[in-house]
Amino acid sequence: MRLRSTLTVSFRALRRNVLRSLLTALGIIVGVGAVIAMVSIGNGAKSVVEAQIASLGENVLLVFSGSFNQGGARSGAFGAGTLTVEDAEAIKREVTTIIGVSPEVRTSAQILANGLNWSTQILGEGADYLTIRVWPLSDGVMFSEADVRSVGKVCVIGQTIATQLFPDGSAVGQILRIKAQPFKVVGILAAKGLSVQGQDQDDLVIVPYTSAMRRVSKQTMLRSISVQASSPDTMTLAQNDIVALLRQRHRTAEGSDDFTVRSQVEIAQAATATADTMTGLLGAVAGVSLIVGGIGIMNIMLVSVTERTREIGIRLAVGAHGREIQLQFLTESIVLSVLGGSIGILAGIGASELVSHLKGWPTLVSPTAVVIAFFFSAAVGMIFGYYPARKASLLDPIDALRYE
Amino acid sequence: MPAVVKLEDIHRIYDSGEVKVHAVRGVTLELHKGEFMAVMGASGSGKSTLMNTLGCLDRPTSGRYLLDGVDIAGLDRNELADLRNEKLGFVFQGFNLLSRTTALENVELPMLYGRRRISHHDMQERAEHCLAIVGLADRADHFPSQLSGGQQQRVAIARALVNNPQVLLADEPTGNLDSKTAIEVMGVFQKLNDQGITIVMVTHELDIARYCRRNLIMRDGKVVSDVQVTDRLIADTELRRLHEAEAAAKLTA
């Protein structure tokens, strides 16, 4: 029997009981819909994390001070100040695959301007910092290398500072005081919003690291060094070079390093691993409902085979092979599950749109998930339709014809 | 001329565990092309088992069955199905048409399962031709539920004819029909028989058997009588007589 007539017969059989077919397919619709929606939500969450990792900058390597193991007393990053300005200068001088270096110190302080005050974080950075972080200015300019060298009293402020301390208009050219020292605002950063941890990334003041160390906090050690590799391909090379250089300078060996070099990729992997786990978990739960939908199909197909025993008898009597009967019922269950799967895909996309609309969660429909869900639903139809179809094909024509 | 159907000492024993039922006990029979045979007998006489055997739906426990020269003993399930498809046509008591399927599509059904590929157009043409033979050309797109019992049975006959079978097997084809419609259906069979088609039918009605050419009577699994019908009824004549009788009844009433 040809494919076309097999399909015609299947559609006719499904049309005979539209409500029943619809209810049967509902199991698959819900299952596939849930898979698509859940994976979309999971992917959306992952894309947010990835975007924030990307906001760390381009091809960024972070050198943290602190050690994993120092004379038996162990600690992680920032555990002890071991990075010096000379380390940063050595990296800049000797590692050839990098295009930007920014030493970093951090402190917090109460700042004053216009008779208003605000407690915030003070970042001491190099002139390359905004280039490395790919962080544009909304107004003004970044302080220069000359400002860094001359321990200049200049600063770049975040949007939150601009609105809190300079509510009346442009802050560029205004003076704000950090620990009684006047700093001239030369630039205002573009808004960045909240970080993954929920911190306001716009609540900061950036000053030259030299100024931060000598004028603000009197620190002698760096907290970290941000390094920008020249391209994604040179990141590993740059990382290895930095590690080798710092080991030589700090006279440490592998296992007893008093610094850590992390690439953006490693940080991204750690952060997205959580999102991946969540997506996998949601997908697995949704997958279970797809299996339940398959059982529904099997149930209805068994009923259908019993109901149509006589029809099967007629077909066998006029010369149908068992295989052809099997194919007919298998086609029916596959048509049912594929239809359900297709509707489910649309429903899933709709549901994830709805979630992102109502809840404001970012969602991202993954084409891979759509394709997998489609073929998985077809497979569910095939697997759960097999037994009823097999049962139909093994009927004895005489018994089947006599069946009331 | 070689026999279309040749049965040699056919036995059929149903073994349902404890009790063995000996349904057919040694039937030997030859059927030649163009014959029109009625198989009669009380229920339990083995006539249905014999028909199932003839129809290749069931295998004899012992004995030899040659259909159109093919010994069915060595054939598997699928080969038997092919044999049914190519050489046999079935007409059942309960019509057994597929509901929600038009008359035309019902007639096309055996061709769908044929091993020879037939184009959709040819299929339709042949089905229409067979419907025309049974006088239902104008009912091709009707569903079984829209047809009378006699018309449904004629669709079933058209379906049985569509693959040009060697033998047409009918199991109590008039069992569910009133006497007038029964005669009409017998008329269709007679017309087909006149064109040379071999027909075997089971019936328990003596007057229906008189439309056939040969009567076989079974009892307890054996053939007890096998005679040619001498005073054969002709359906057309009988129908005309019936019409006249009806008309006369109306005149006198």
Side-chain angles (χ1 to χ4, degrees):
Chain A
M1 196 152 147
R2 294 135 234 238
L3 186 67
R4 197 174 69 176
S5 38
T6 310
L7 282 173
T8 313
V9 168
S10 300
F11 275 110
R12 187 176 288 147
L14 293 174
R15 247 201 345 248
R16 185 152 56 189
N17 212 327
V18 177
L19 183 64
R20 190 167 85 183
S21 302
L22 211 67
L23 287 174
T24 310
L26 197 60
I28 297 291
I29 293 173
V30 169
V32 169
V35 168
I36 299 290
M38 293 298 129
V39 171
S40 298
I41 291 168
N43 275 336
K46 189 178 162 186
S47 74
V48 169
V49 173
E50 278 173 345
Q52 290 187 327
I53 299 300
S55 78
L56 282 178
E58 256 174 22
N59 312 325
V60 174
L61 291 164
L62 289 174
V63 185
F64 301 117
S65 73
S67 66
F68 286 121
N69 191 340
Q70 201 171 32
R74 299 185 302 152
S75 76
F78 317 122
T82 54
L83 290 174
T84 61
V85 175
E86 288 72 35
D87 285 336
E89 281 166 356
I91 291 170
K92 192 170 191 174
R93 199 170 53 239
E94 290 179 32
V95 181
T96 51
T97 47
I98 60 170
I99 53 173
V101 173
S102 172
E104 181 182 288
V105 291
R106 283 191 190 190
T107 185
S108 56
Q110 200 77 14
I111 58 176
L112 299 159
N114 284 338
L116 298 165
N117 73 88
W118 190 254
S119 173
T120 187
Q121 191 164 44
I122 313 295
L123 258 61
E125 296 286 355
D128 293 338
Y129 184 64
L130 295 188
T131 319
I132 296 172
R133 293 285 308 265
V134 195
W135 197 345
L137 290 158
S138 69
D139 198 3
V141 291
M142 178 62 175
F143 53 76
S144 64
E145 196 61 49
D147 291 322
V148 174
R149 274 198 301 275
S150 63
V151 198
K153 291 192 237 180
V154 288
C155 67
V156 168
I157 61 173
Q159 281 288 342
T160 305
I161 308 293
T163 43
Q164 290 298 334
L165 296 185
F166 305 99
D168 301 331
S170 177
V172 175
Q174 305 274 340
I175 301 293
L176 61 76
R177 287 173 186 279
I178 306 170
K179 293 198 174 167
Q181 306 236 30
F183 280 77
K184 188 176 164 196
V185 177
V186 293
I188 300 167
L189 293 162
K192 210 163 191 175
L194 298 181
S195 74
V196 187
Q197 290 82 16
Q199 283 170 334
D200 181 1
Q201 298 181 97
D202 298 320
D203 186 3
L204 84 172
V205 174
I206 303 175
V207 299
Y209 69 94
T210 48
S211 313
M213 291 170 90
R214 282 179 226 165
R215 294 183 193 277
V216 182
S217 68
K218 317 282 186 241
Q219 295 178 77
T220 53
M221 290 298 190
L222 299 176
R223 180 182 182 273
S224 64
I225 305 168
S226 303
V227 181
Q228 187 172 33
S230 56
S231 75
D233 304 331
T234 57
M235 280 186 79
T236 314
L237 189 62
Q239 188 171 5
N240 292 341
D241 285 351
I242 293 168
V243 169
L245 178 67
L246 291 179
R247 277 193 187 139
Q248 191 193 347
R249 290 179 58 84
H250 293 198
R251 298 177 211 287
T252 58
E254 195 173 350
S256 63
D257 289 336
D258 57 359
F259 59 89
T260 312
V261 184
R262 287 270 165 76
S263 75
Q264 195 182 359
V265 178
E266 288 169 343
I267 297 167
Q269 277 168 350
T272 53
T274 322
D276 278 340
T277 309
M278 187 174 89
T279 309
L281 209 69
L282 291 174
V285 170
V288 169
S289 63
L290 203 51
I291 302 283
V292 174
I295 295 171
I297 287 193
M298 183 149 153
N299 187 22
I300 277 309
M301 289 311 294
L302 281 171
V303 171
S304 180
V305 167
T306 311
E307 267 182 3
R308 285 151 66 193
T309 302
R310 247 181 124 79
E311 178 195 322
I312 296 165
I314 297 166
R315 291 178 186 275
L316 287 171
V318 301
H321 287 192
R323 268 180 54 118
E324 289 166 317
I325 300 294
Q326 190 176 336
L327 188 70
Q328 183 196 323
F329 280 90
L330 209 52
T331 308
E332 210 173 299
S333 69
I334 292 171
V335 164
L336 201 57
S337 65
V338 164
L339 276 180
S342 307
I343 299 171
I345 286 169
L346 296 179
I349 292 172
S352 60
E353 289 288 322
L354 199 69
V355 162
S356 74
H357 191 72
L358 292 181
K359 287 275 207 169
W361 295 354
T363 59
L364 193 71
V365 176
S366 138
T368 325
V370 169
V371 171
I372 290 175
F374 184 81
F375 284 103
F376 199 68
S377 63
V380 162
M382 213 179 295
I383 292 163
F384 288 96
Y386 180 79
Y387 174 68
R390 180 97 189 124
K391 204 180 149 195
S393 74
L394 292 175
L395 283 172
D396 181 71
I398 298 172
D399 294 339
L401 279 170
R402 229 182 260 146
Y403 186 85
E404 290 300 328
Chain B
M1 190 167 72
V4 179
V5 166
K6 195 169 181 186
L7 298 178
E8 290 174 9
D9 194 25
I10 295 287
H11 286 262
R12 181 68 175 97
I13 303 165
Y14 291 108
D15 192 351
S16 59
E18 314 159 10
V19 197
K20 283 188 181 172
V21 180
H22 210 142
V24 174
R25 303 161 182 260
V27 171
T28 300
L29 186 70
E30 274 196 12
L31 200 64
H32 292 275
K33 188 163 166 47
E35 284 204 88
F36 186 4
M37 181 172 81
V39 180
M40 298 198 292
S43 61
S45 61
K47 60 183 194 301
S48 286
T49 307
L50 186 68
M51 279 300 272
N52 285 340
T53 308
L54 282 174
C56 295
L57 291 164
D58 195 9
R59 266 178 237 266
T61 311
S62 69
R64 220 156 82 97
Y65 173 20
L66 296 177
L67 173 60
D68 199 23
V70 181
D71 190 342
I72 71 152
L75 303 182
D76 67 16
R77 207 174 127 96
N78 287 342
E79 286 167 328
L80 282 180
D82 291 344
L83 207 62
R84 289 198 294 272
N85 184 265
E86 286 160 21
K87 297 191 188 299
L88 298 170
F90 291 89
V91 177
F92 304 96
Q93 180 178 1
F95 319 138
N96 277 343
L97 297 176
L98 300 181
S99 55
R100 296 183 196 235
T101 304
T102 63
L104 190 76
E105 287 169 323
N106 263 295
V107 177
E108 283 175 352
L109 189 68
M111 290 188 282
L112 292 180
Y113 294 112
R115 295 308 121 187
R116 276 172 300 128
R117 291 274 182 235
I118 308 167
S119 78
H120 186 73
H121 178 259
D122 288 355
M123 236 186 238
Q124 204 166 331
E125 210 161 65
R126 270 168 67 174
E128 276 165 0
H129 174 68
C130 288
L131 277 175
I133 292 176
V134 299
L136 285 176
D138 54 338
R139 296 282 192 277
D141 53 350
H142 284 50
F143 292 99
S145 57
Q146 297 168 313
L147 298 171
S148 71
Q151 287 170 329
Q152 286 187 52
Q153 195 59 299
R154 272 144 69 189
V155 172
I157 294 170
R159 180 178 68 190
L161 286 175
V162 82
N163 270 352
N164 298 321
Q166 294 294 319
V167 185
L168 204 153
L169 297 166
D171 191 359
E172 301 211 32
T174 59
N176 286 10
L177 303 174
D178 64 68
S179 56
K180 190 184 161 200
T181 317
I183 296 170
E184 282 171 6
V185 167
M186 289 314 292
V188 173
F189 280 128
Q190 281 189 334
K191 228 172 275 164
L192 294 172
N193 182 240
D194 291 342
Q195 289 163 23
I197 292 170
T198 314
I199 303 171
V200 179
M201 63 179 277
V202 167
T203 183
H204 58 265
E205 293 165 274
L206 267 172
D207 48 337
I208 289 296
R210 282 177 65 199
Y211 290 91
C212 305
R213 291 178 192 269
R214 180 180 170 186
N215 283 1
L216 190 85
I217 300 172
M218 292 190 69
R219 190 180 303 147
D220 297 332
K222 286 181 185 148
V223 175
V224 292
S225 156
D226 184 357
V227 294
Q228 296 294 323
V229 178
T230 47
D231 52 345
R232 189 171 174 239
L233 295 175
I234 302 300
D236 286 350
T237 322
E238 293 305 308
L239 276 174
R240 204 177 309 128
R241 193 174 295 163
L242 213 61
H243 279 302
E244 281 163 11
E246 274 176 1
K250 271 176 199 157
L251 279 176
T252 52

